[in-house]
Structures are given as structure tokens and as C-alpha cells.
Amino acid sequence: MFERIKDTVFRIVKSRLFVLILAFCALFAILVNRVFYLQIVKGQYYMDNYKLQILKTREIPGTRGNIYDRNGNLLAYNELAYSVTIEDNITGEDRNEILNGILEKIISIVESNGDSVISDFGVVLDSAGNYEFSQTNETLKLRFIADVYGLKTIDELTEKQRNASAADIMKYLCTDEVYGYDLDMKKMDKAYLLKMVNLRYAINLNSFQKFIPTTLATDVSDETVAAIMENLDELDGVDIAEDSMRRYTDSKYFASIIGYTGKISQEEYNALDKDQKKKYSQTDIVGKAGLEQTMDEVLQGTKGKKQFYVDSVGKVTDKVSSKDPEAGNDVYLTIDKDLQEQTYQLLEEKLAGIVLSKLRNVMNYDPSQTSDSSQIIIPVDDAYNAFIANEIIDESHFGADNAKTVEKQVYQKFTERKSSAITEIINEMNNSGAKAYKDLSDEMKAYMDYISIDVLQKAVGILIPDKIDTNDEVYKQWTTDETISLNKYLNYAISKNWIDTSKLSDYISDEKYSDSAEIYQGILTFLQNYLDSDVNFDKLLYKYLIKSGSISGGQICAIVYEQGVLPMDEAAYKGLANGSVDSYGWLYQKIQSLQITPGQLALEPCTGSAVVSDPNTGEVLACVSYPGYDNNRLANTMDSKYYNQLVTGLSRPFYNNATQERTAPGSTYKMISAVAGLTEGVISPDSYISCGGEFDKVTPSPRCWIYPGGHGPLEVTGALMHSCNVFFYEVGYDLGLDKDGDYDSDQGVEKLAKYAKEFGLGEKSGIEIPESEPRISDEYAVQSAIGQGTNNFTVSQLNRYVATVANKGTVYNLSLLDKTTDVNGKIIKKYEPVVANEITDVSSTTWNLVHQGMIAMIQDTPSFSGLGIEMAGKTGTAQQSALHPDHGLFVGFAPADKPEIAIAVRIANGYSSSYAAEIGRDIVRANFKLADKKELITGSAAQLGTAIAGD
């Protein structure tokens, strides 16, 4: 037995397995010893000194340069503020749960102290509480959708992604198994859910750059700072950061030219060239509009850089290097702050005066029954409706739990009517024998228009505009003749494949094989669901509830107090609510005192613009677009809801009326025709042309504004003074005569265009903010000679043209820029005048005659008497349509003998050019200090002079 054991052990020892066992035991002993040493002997030491060294590089943006006016008045600057930030260091399966919990605590802390978290996501809540995109521009909306899905370009979007609604985007971000934020859409209130998505999306945009902080709330109070600091142990990655906030002085006056700043978008970053991308990162704050955008590289400054090590939880363990940022350069504008502000106020007061002059205490007015557009009135029901249509008051609050008394009364009327209205609409559309469109009530016509155009075509694309044959007889019966019903039109559209059935997949059994009857019923079912939650349909309902008297003007005005739009006046509020205070009188007084402004009402007129420049340099002294907006609410972190209100606002505050709105110049163009006629020799200084009120050399025969009267015989200065159309019709006609004496309109158009181009109207003015392309008329020489035809110019372009008239032939580029300096005031660049063209083929006699005509026009206008300075000017009227008031224009310069300023003014739908002329007059008075400021700017609606009958 012993021998067997001994023999076995001997064999094992002799085998290679024994060697392996020994090696294994030795290695195991070493490993155990090392583990014991590390965990037991040195465990506490390593626990205390454990570091996961990560090298971080953090860029520090340079302070943005300031913007000043020509006199050194501050217009844009930076202010130190505190922001709540988070570094997303959370990983693991429960990341969403942990991160959402942290964000919920942040929202609670921030809002409990009266502050707000960021709100710059591309989805907002409409007034009916539904999700909608903040961008109405289709390309920008698709760019946002592409960003949500993590795609580089719009072209990568699938058809389903491209057609995603705002609600679809919210659902994707909240619930997607891979990319979702794990937010419960059923349990969370929509507004709260949107706040959470705002924060999560902002964090997600930085996910490719770990340890880059994301801003969650900006410009927070000291109370919020203290509360956050007290709770840092529960808020992983959260911190308080010092931030530089962009601020704007007197924002509404300057927003249209200065613009605002914001976080660079993916599209903006992609558009940068290779060198620019070295200067910018995808978290940078950049200029988004106006001069902030144009001059971004000048204002931006140079970034600093910090390098340091952090441990596994983001705590700084060692600093490596540091480079301080450099402040951006300052920009000085040519703008005169005082003149800019006074010009804006003059426009607002004049607009209010015009509105009051046309406001009438009548209901259900039809402008098509008025033959003269100058006699169009503003019915008071349109004004009451404007409070809802342009969101002066918030109709979504009428049904809120904390709604006030009158709000509840109005909401009850609305809900009762909404149910019956939708039923009536669906029944009307479901009736194969329904009345023709022309036989419907005005209210039902409005609903049918809204459904066929705004909903089925524009909003959802069920009716495909590109497929509709506008020459089709049935289409004409619907749109032009109005002899068929919407039922017949839509059923015909189905038969012609003008319908996108894929948009009805939830309402029909099979989009490929459904018959026309099923498709039509699918449209009706869709409409019933859509109208029930459509805020724009709600606004249309309110319009007709007001027109019918079901909701009174007094109730609408009382809600202004209930919602805090105006400070509470108990007597007025109670009187409006019970009917003892006349709502028309109340409204009239509020417009008179500018407590309710033309820009808020968005009635015609509600917009205006003016540009004032130095005709000897092209420097712009004032560039005003009314109404303005508060660019402080868009800078830094954008207020998406406010942005959406600006984009959709009926008075278009986001639209620069001075540089982007184009209209026909009307009679302000006649100086070009005079110069062309005199220079081409078709008229001489002594030529007299007789005006009998009608020009009968072409058919149809155009008339002078004085028709059925006439001006009689006039020479060129008299024609400019009286703005005689017949005189300039003749000039346009004669410019078109060929060598055989035959009239060739194209020849006349070409000659007029030649001179228009010489005056700079063939190109943009040179101003350094976005400007629309001008259009010189290319048809109808006779009409073109009085500024009609297809002439279309911005106010900025008209200003450069009249400045050229003022200085007798030098076309300067308009400029808003005076100089740039460094932070110490050293001049970096001085902007010198740029001459775009010199008109050399016009004689001094011609220039003098044109000036004399413009001076005579001012001297012949009573409202300019006693001005105290000799001025030259020309009024103009441009007709939009018979259903809308004409546009009023004025151009001029002063002093007439040695011009220092050139002026162009336009009031869109301003009825009479005399009102624009009065603004031009008061701009001169303001610039040359010819009147006390309190006399010029009264703080109430302006008095109006006598309207010019025509020009």
C-alpha cells in the first residue's frame, strides 16, 4: 500500500503537471499577498488618495464688445449674472431616473424664487394647450427636427420624420427606448413636461462634450443661488456659474437694427468656413440677427483656455495651464439715439391718430361696399377681436381653474358655440345637396375658407397645392365663380387625386384601396378632431361670437384688467363687466393715451418705417421699424414662446419694415421721371403739359388723382409741386416714342430704368442688415413714370435715392457703422463714406428745377407752415387693393439749400401721404431742435392735418 502511494507521488513529481501546480500555487500566493496588501494593509491609504485623472480643457468666452450710438450712448452691453449649470457625469442604467430627479429639484428651487429655467426648445404650447413648433419657417422647422433625430442635414430625414408634428417630437424625446428621456407623458402636466424636455434636450446637445456645463437657468436671483448652493450634495454635477448676460438699452427702438444674440445652431456652425470653425465652438453665443450677427466676429472677442485634471466625479484635482480671454471690440454706430427714439415715437403717435380717425362704433362692416379706399373705416368689432386675434389677452386662460369672473362667462359662451359650430360645419360638408359657397352666410363662408385653405392645404397638406389644376373648370367654380359647395369641390379633388391619402391613414381603413366615399368621410372625421383642438379655429369662433354680440366688447375689455394687461381700475372694470361703461369710449381713450398701441391691435394701419441719413456721407442717423420688440427676451437664452409670438404676430414685429418691406414708391418716384424727361429732351424747363384729369393716349386711359377735375397747363416744377399724374404720364409716353413717332412701352421702360439705376434703385442700399432686393419696373412706361408699374422698393432704398437728389448726383452706400475700437478706446477701423455711383449726365439746371419743385410742394402744404427751416419734399401714395387703405409715403431733405439730412417715411395702409409727410416734418423739427421735445412727443395719439386727396 505504502509502495503504491510512494510510486504515485514519484510519478506526479516527475510529471510536468507538478511543475504547473507549483507555478500556479506560487502565483496564487503572490496574488493573494498583493490583494491583502492593497486592500487590507494599504486600503485606507488608497481610499483616501484614489484619483481618476482626466485632463479637461475648458474654453472661456471673451466678453462681447459693446455697441454705442454716434454720440457714445450705450445701446448694447454685458452684465454679470449668475446661472445654474450642470455637468452630465451620470452613467448607468438608471441615468434617466437620476438625472430627471435632479432636474425636478432644480425646477422647484428656481421657480420657488421667482426665476425661470431655460425655454429655448423648438416646441412651445399654443393658447389651446397643444404642442406646436416655435418656428413657422419650414426650412428652420425641418432643421430643428433633424437636430432632434441627430441628423446632419434635412435631406437625411425620412418621410415620417419630415412630417412629424410637435406632439410626435415630444413623444419621441420622452418615450423612445434608445434616445428617450423616460418621462411619463400621462402623469406630467404638459407645461411641466415641456420644461423637463427643454432641460434634457439642452443637456443632450452637449452630450458629445463631456464635462462641458449646460446652462439650465440664467440671470437667477441671489435667493436661487443660495438655495442651489445649500442643496449641492443632492444635485450631482450642478453648480452656480458667473455669466455675462447681453443687455439692450431701450430695446424696442433699436431691436430691428441691433438684433440679438443666442446659442449658435448646428446649421449656422456648419455654414462656417474652415478658419471660422477654429474660432467658434458649438456651445458659443453668437449674433443671431441684425448688427449683432453682421459684426459678430468684431464683437465676439478671443477665447481663453483652462486646462486642469478632474477625478471620477468631476472634482478639480490639479490646474495645468490658464490663458485669459480677451474682450471683443466695441462698435460705434452712425445712429443718433435721441433721433431714433423720437422717430419711433412719432410713428407710433401718428399711427394711433390715424386709427382713432377711422375707428367707428359700428359692427359687421364690409369694406367691399366702399368705393373709395380712403373712406374705409375700422369697425369696433374688429378692434375687440384684435385683443384675441393678436393675443393682447390670453384666451387659453379663459378656461383655466383660476380664471376670473368675466373670463368664465366668455369661456362658457365659447364652449357652447364651439360644439354647435363644428356640428354645423360637418353637417354642411356632409350634405351632398349643400348650398353653393356664394349663398352661405358670411360666418359659414369664413369656416369653409379656413378649412379648404388654412387647414387642408397649408397646415396638414391633405389637399396638395402642386397637384391642383388651377385651370380646371370645377376648381374655378369653387374659387372664382363660387357656384359649388365645398362638398362637391373636395369630392372632385379626390377623383382627380389632389388628395394625399397618406395623411388620412388614421381615418380610413386602407389608403391604397379606399373608395372616394370612404376617403371623404375620413376627411370629415379628421376635420372634426382637428377643429376641436385648433387654436386658430378658436380665434375664428371668437371673431364671430363678437360680431354676433354673444360676447360683448365690454367683456373683452374687462378681461384686459382681469389678466393684468393694464393695472386694475375697479370702477372701469366693474362698469365694463356690467355694461355701465361704454366699451367703445373706453377703447378710444386707451388708444388715445397709448395704453393700447397700434402695434398691439394690428389693425390697418399698424406698421410704419422711417430712415434718416446724411446725404453727404450715407451715414444713417435713424432707421426705425414700428412696432419693435424686446430683444432682451431673445438674447442669451431665447424665450421660445415670446419668439413664437413675434413670428406669428399680426403686426409682424420681427419684420424690419424699413429694410425688408417693399411697396410701389408712388409719386415719390416722380423726380426720376423729371430727370429722365429733362435729360432725354422729351421735356424742357419751359415745356407745359395740360392736365384735364385723364390721359387718353393709351388704353385704358389712366387718370390723375384730381379727376374729374384737372390741373391745367403745368411745367415740370409745377408738376412736382402738384404731383400731377397726367404730366408724368406724358413724360413716360414720350420716352417710349421711337424715331417714327410710334409708342413703344418697352423703350420707355428701359429709359426710366436707366435713370432709376443711376439713382441706386437697381441694387440694395448698402446698409449692413438684411435688406430686400429692389425691383425696377419692367412694364407699362406710362404707369411706371408715376411710380407704379412693377416698381417696388424699401424705405432704405428710397432714402438713398432722395439723398442722391439732395446732393445732386452722388450715390452713397447707406451705412450704420461709424467705427470700431478696442476695449481701451483705440480706433481699430473708421468707416469712410462709399460712393456707389456719380450721376454725371444730369445738368445743374435739371437739378435746380427738381429741387424747386420739391420746395414748392412743401411751401404749398399748410402743415409745413412755420417750420422755421426751408425744406424740400415729395409725397407719394401706393395702392394695395380696393379693400385696403393706400400706403402713404414721403421723401425729403433739409435744409433745402444745403441738405444735412435726407428722410424717407412709409406708413403701410396709412390712407394719406400727408400723414407720412407730417412725420417727415416732425423728424426735421426733432433733428434741428426746432421744437421742444414735449411738444413733439406728447405720449398720446397725434393730431392729424388735412389729408391730401391724392398725389
Side-chain angles (χ1 to χ4, degrees):
M1 179 72 175
F2 177 76
E3 287 299 324
R4 282 201 303 270
I5 294 172
K6 180 181 177 182
D7 184 55
T8 302
V9 170
F10 180 76
R11 284 200 306 272
I12 292 173
V13 170
K14 283 282 189 179
S15 71
R16 284 179 288 182
L17 180 62
F18 181 73
V19 177
L20 289 174
I21 291 171
L22 284 178
F24 176 79
C25 290
L27 290 173
F28 183 74
I30 293 170
L31 179 62
V32 169
N33 178 68
R34 189 61 181 165
V35 169
F36 179 83
Y37 177 80
L38 291 175
Q39 293 191 358
I40 306 301
V41 178
K42 288 286 189 178
Q44 188 61 44
Y45 172 82
Y46 285 119
M47 180 67 69
D48 293 338
N49 293 277
Y50 168 66
K51 295 177 184 177
L52 175 62
Q53 298 278 22
I54 300 173
L55 180 63
K56 290 173 60 174
T57 299
R58 180 172 293 172
E59 291 181 332
I60 309 169
T63 303
R64 199 170 181 83
N66 295 332
I67 300 176
Y68 299 88
D69 85 334
R70 68 188 297 113
N71 300 312
N73 294 305
L74 194 59
L75 303 179
Y77 61 100
N78 308 290
E79 187 174 84
L80 184 65
Y82 294 107
S83 297
V84 181
T85 65
I86 187 171
E87 288 189 16
D88 179 18
N89 304 317
I90 302 167
T91 57
E93 292 183 1
D94 55 353
R95 175 176 178 273
N96 276 335
E97 183 180 350
I98 295 171
L99 189 53
N100 290 341
I102 292 171
L103 296 181
E104 286 176 2
K105 290 176 184 176
I106 288 174
I107 292 173
S108 176
I109 292 171
V110 168
E111 293 188 344
S112 67
N113 290 294
D115 296 319
S116 302
V117 294
I118 59 171
S119 175
D120 58 354
F121 185 52
V123 172
V124 295
L125 286 173
D126 64 23
S127 57
N130 299 311
Y131 295 117
E132 67 173 352
F133 291 110
S134 62
Q135 280 288 358
T136 55
N137 178 280
E138 185 66 17
T139 301
L140 294 178
K141 185 186 81 172
L142 291 175
R143 178 62 263 172
F144 164 70
I145 293 173
D147 289 342
V148 168
Y149 288 111
L151 304 175
K152 289 184 178 180
T153 66
I154 291 172
D155 295 336
E156 295 178 55
L157 288 167
T158 65
E159 188 67 23
K160 183 178 180 181
Q161 291 171 337
R162 189 175 280 267
N163 292 320
S165 66
D168 293 334
I169 293 296
M170 288 293 291
K171 183 178 180 182
Y172 169 78
L173 290 175
C174 291
T175 63
D176 187 80
E177 291 184 5
V178 178
Y179 301 106
Y181 305 149
D182 198 18
L183 296 168
D184 194 328
M185 298 186 75
K186 293 180 180 178
K187 290 184 179 179
M188 284 187 180
D189 170 74
K190 279 188 175 182
Y192 190 81
L193 186 68
L194 191 56
K195 291 174 189 176
M196 289 292 292
V197 170
N198 263 279
L199 301 183
R200 287 298 307 269
Y201 186 71
I203 294 170
N204 190 59
L205 289 177
N206 278 349
S207 61
F208 63 95
Q209 300 180 93
K210 284 291 183 183
F211 306 108
I212 296 295
T214 299
T215 299
L216 303 179
T218 60
D219 197 16
V220 296
S221 64
D222 292 341
E223 291 78 10
T224 295
V225 171
I228 292 290
M229 297 302 288
E230 288 172 6
N231 290 275
L232 283 182
D233 58 330
E234 300 176 7
L235 303 172
D236 188 15
V238 176
D239 200 0
I240 295 294
E242 288 187 349
D243 208 351
S244 179
M245 307 296 292
R246 195 62 163 172
R247 304 292 193 207
Y248 301 101
T249 306
D250 299 324
S251 58
K252 67 179 179 180
Y253 304 120
F254 300 94
S256 61
I257 54 177
I258 291 179
Y260 56 93
T261 61
K263 187 176 178 181
I264 191 169
S265 68
Q266 185 67 49
E267 189 172 34
E268 288 168 328
Y269 183 78
N270 293 341
L272 298 175
D273 60 35
K274 196 173 183 181
D275 292 334
Q276 288 175 319
K277 283 183 178 177
K278 294 176 182 177
K279 301 177 185 177
Y280 292 88
S281 68
Q282 290 180 293
T283 57
D284 280 350
I285 296 295
V286 299
K288 304 289 282 187
L291 290 171
E292 287 278 29
Q293 184 178 45
T294 304
M295 303 298 290
D296 188 71
E297 290 192 56
V298 173
L299 293 162
Q300 188 70 239
T302 305
K303 293 177 183 176
K305 186 181 289 187
K306 272 186 184 178
Q307 285 190 314
F308 47 91
Y309 284 102
V310 297
D311 61 20
S312 60
V313 292
K315 183 179 178 181
V316 176
T317 59
D318 189 23
K319 293 181 181 178
V320 178
S321 64
S322 178
K323 178 187 175 185
D324 292 334
E326 297 178 12
N329 295 323
D330 296 332
V331 174
Y332 285 77
L333 307 184
T334 60
I335 293 291
D336 182 316
K337 181 176 185 288
D338 290 341
L339 185 62
Q340 176 85 5
E341 292 182 0
Q342 288 181 61
T343 301
Y344 183 99
Q345 291 163 339
L346 288 168
L347 274 166
E348 182 168 69
E349 291 182 6
K350 190 65 68 177
L351 285 163
I354 299 170
V355 169
L356 289 181
S357 73
K358 297 296 179 180
L359 187 65
R360 299 289 185 274
N361 194 13
V362 300
M363 305 276 281
N364 296 296
Y365 169 72
D366 183 0
S368 66
Q369 302 303 309
T370 305
S371 58
D372 183 354
S373 62
S374 68
Q375 300 303 312
I376 292 173
I377 66 166
I378 301 172
V380 73
D381 58 312
D382 281 0
Y384 297 144
N385 180 60
F387 280 81
I388 292 176
N390 207 38
E391 299 181 10
I392 300 173
I393 56 178
D394 181 6
E395 56 100 351
S396 68
H397 191 263
F398 296 175
D401 293 338
N402 61 342
K404 304 293 193 303
T405 303
V406 181
E407 286 181 299
K408 291 177 179 177
Q409 293 170 0
V410 168
Y411 188 68
Q412 182 178 353
K413 289 283 186 183
F414 166 75
T415 52
E416 290 171 357
R417 178 57 186 144
K418 184 172 184 177
S419 176
S420 62
I422 292 176
T423 301
E424 288 171 19
I425 290 167
I426 298 302
N427 287 344
E428 183 71 23
M429 292 183 65
N430 206 22
N431 181 7
S432 59
K435 294 179 182 178
Y437 174 89
K438 66 179 182 180
D439 297 325
L440 297 173
S441 67
D442 288 343
E443 182 176 356
M444 189 57 74
K445 283 180 181 178
Y447 297 149
M448 295 299 155
D449 286 339
Y450 179 72
I451 288 168
S452 62
I453 300 171
D454 296 270
V455 177
L456 295 181
Q457 283 193 54
K458 294 180 180 179
V460 294
I462 289 175
L463 261 174
I464 310 170
D466 293 342
K467 285 193 174 183
I468 295 173
D469 180 4
T470 55
N471 294 315
D472 187 279
E473 284 303 315
V474 175
Y475 176 80
K476 289 179 180 179
Q477 288 172 12
W478 167 248
T479 56
T480 307
D481 303 334
E482 302 178 352
T483 55
I484 61 173
S485 66
L486 184 56
N487 176 298
K488 184 171 182 179
Y489 170 61
L490 288 179
N491 275 290
Y492 183 77
I494 293 169
S495 71
K496 302 296 287 186
N497 292 319
W498 297 348
I499 299 291
D500 184 352
T501 54
S502 67
K503 303 286 177 68
L504 297 168
S505 57
D506 293 337
Y507 303 96
I508 55 179
S509 58
D510 191 324
E511 60 188 78
K512 290 184 178 180
Y513 301 106
S514 296
D515 60 24
S516 59
E518 186 179 0
I519 293 171
Y520 187 69
Q521 288 303 313
I523 292 174
L524 295 186
T525 305
F526 161 80
L527 285 172
Q528 191 154 12
N529 293 336
Y530 185 90
L531 295 178
D532 191 53
S533 60
D534 178 21
V535 65
N536 291 316
F537 178 67
D538 290 351
K539 288 181 177 180
L540 194 57
L541 277 174
Y542 276 114
K543 175 180 178 178
Y544 282 96
L545 283 168
I546 292 169
K547 282 183 173 294
S548 68
S550 298
I551 295 174
S552 70
Q555 289 175 308
I556 294 295
C557 297
I559 292 172
V560 172
Y561 289 118
E562 288 188 338
Q563 293 192 355
V565 177
L566 293 179
M568 176 56 75
D569 178 335
E570 287 290 345
Y573 166 65
K574 290 178 180 177
L576 289 166
N578 63 32
S580 62
V581 169
D582 175 38
S583 57
Y584 174 79
W586 178 91
L587 178 61
Y588 192 99
Q589 189 274 325
K590 295 306 176 188
I591 299 171
Q592 175 73 44
S593 62
L594 296 179
Q595 290 175 276
I596 300 295
T597 67
Q600 287 178 294
L601 288 170
L603 302 169
E604 292 179 344
C606 64
T607 64
S609 55
V611 176
V612 185
S613 70
D614 183 341
N616 305 301
T617 62
E619 293 179 352
V620 178
L621 307 177
C623 180
V624 173
S625 175
Y626 180 87
Y629 61 92
D630 185 0
N631 47 356
N632 286 301
R633 295 181 65 179
L634 303 179
N636 309 302
T637 302
M638 180 179 287
D639 182 338
S640 294
K641 187 171 183 179
Y642 180 62
Y643 175 84
N644 187 56
Q645 287 176 340
L646 294 176
V647 171
T648 59
L650 301 179
S651 58
R652 305 178 306 169
F654 235 171
Y655 189 69
N656 192 326
N657 296 295
T659 64
Q660 293 177 296
E661 182 184 47
R662 301 185 309 168
T663 65
S667 294
T668 62
Y669 184 88
K670 287 175 179 175
M671 286 82 80
I672 289 177
S673 299
V675 168
L678 289 165
T679 306
E680 294 292 326
V682 300
I683 56 171
S684 70
D686 301 321
S687 297
Y688 278 82
I689 296 172
S690 183
C691 169
E694 192 170 38
F695 185 72
D696 59 7
K697 292 185 178 181
V698 294
T699 303
S701 300
R703 295 169 174 172
C704 188
W705 63 265
I706 202 171
Y707 182 87
H711 287 111
L714 294 170
E715 36 67 60
V716 67
T717 57
L720 286 170
M721 171 183 173
H722 295 290
S723 197
C724 177
N725 287 349
V726 169
F727 183 96
F728 289 101
Y729 288 148
E730 184 65 53
V731 170
Y733 182 85
D734 291 348
L735 286 171
L737 294 177
D738 61 21
K739 60 183 179 180
D740 298 321
D742 296 324
Y743 174 62
D744 180 355
S745 178
D746 290 342
Q747 177 181 300
V749 165
E750 288 172 10
K751 288 184 178 179
L752 286 169
K754 170 194 166 186
Y755 287 91
K757 289 175 184 176
E758 287 192 4
F759 278 90
L761 289 176
E763 60 187 7
K764 294 181 181 180
S765 70
I767 201 164
E768 294 91 352
I769 54 178
E771 184 180 46
S772 298
E773 289 283 352
R775 181 175 182 183
I776 294 174
S777 183
D778 55 4
E779 58 185 15
Y780 310 124
V782 168
Q783 290 86 345
S784 296
I786 66 161
Q788 299 296 332
T790 56
N791 281 310
N792 266 296
F793 308 111
T794 66
V795 170
S796 51
Q797 290 151 10
L798 292 177
N799 178 274
R800 182 164 80 151
Y801 145 59
V802 76
T804 304
V805 174
N807 67 40
K808 298 184 177 180
T810 303
V811 184
Y812 288 100
N813 280 348
L814 294 189
S815 178
L816 293 163
L817 302 175
D818 179 21
K819 62 184 178 182
T820 57
T821 69
D822 65 16
V823 70
N824 297 312
K826 180 183 177 182
I827 294 178
I828 304 297
K829 180 178 180 179
K830 177 68 178 175
Y831 291 85
E832 302 295 338
V834 176
V835 176
N837 186 42
E838 290 271 10
I839 301 175
T840 57
D841 57 346
V842 176
S843 70
S844 59
T845 300
T846 294
W847 288 121
N848 290 337
L849 288 168
V850 169
H851 279 219
Q852 289 168 22
M854 295 177 71
I855 292 169
M857 181 266 160
I858 295 295
Q859 292 174 341
D860 191 52
T861 305
S863 60
F864 283 86
S865 63
L867 181 59
I869 193 173
E870 189 173 51
M871 183 179 177
K874 184 72 195 75
T875 54
T877 301
Q879 187 180 47
Q880 178 180 346
S881 78
L883 299 179
H884 298 274
D886 296 341
H887 305 306
L889 300 100
F890 173 79
V891 298
F893 52 87
D897 59 339
K898 195 174 181 181
E900 295 179 30
I901 62 169
I903 302 164
V905 181
R906 174 166 57 221
I907 303 177
N909 305 116
Y911 286 89
S912 172
S913 59
S914 61
Y915 304 142
E918 288 167 13
I919 294 172
R921 173 202 65 196
D922 290 340
I923 289 172
V924 170
R925 295 169 72 194
N927 185 76
F928 293 106
K929 309 294 190 291
L930 300 175
D932 186 83
K933 185 177 179 180
K934 291 182 180 178
E935 179 188 343
L936 284 171
I937 311 298
T938 65
S940 60
Q943 297 293 316
L944 303 179
T946 303
I948 298 172
D951 52 15

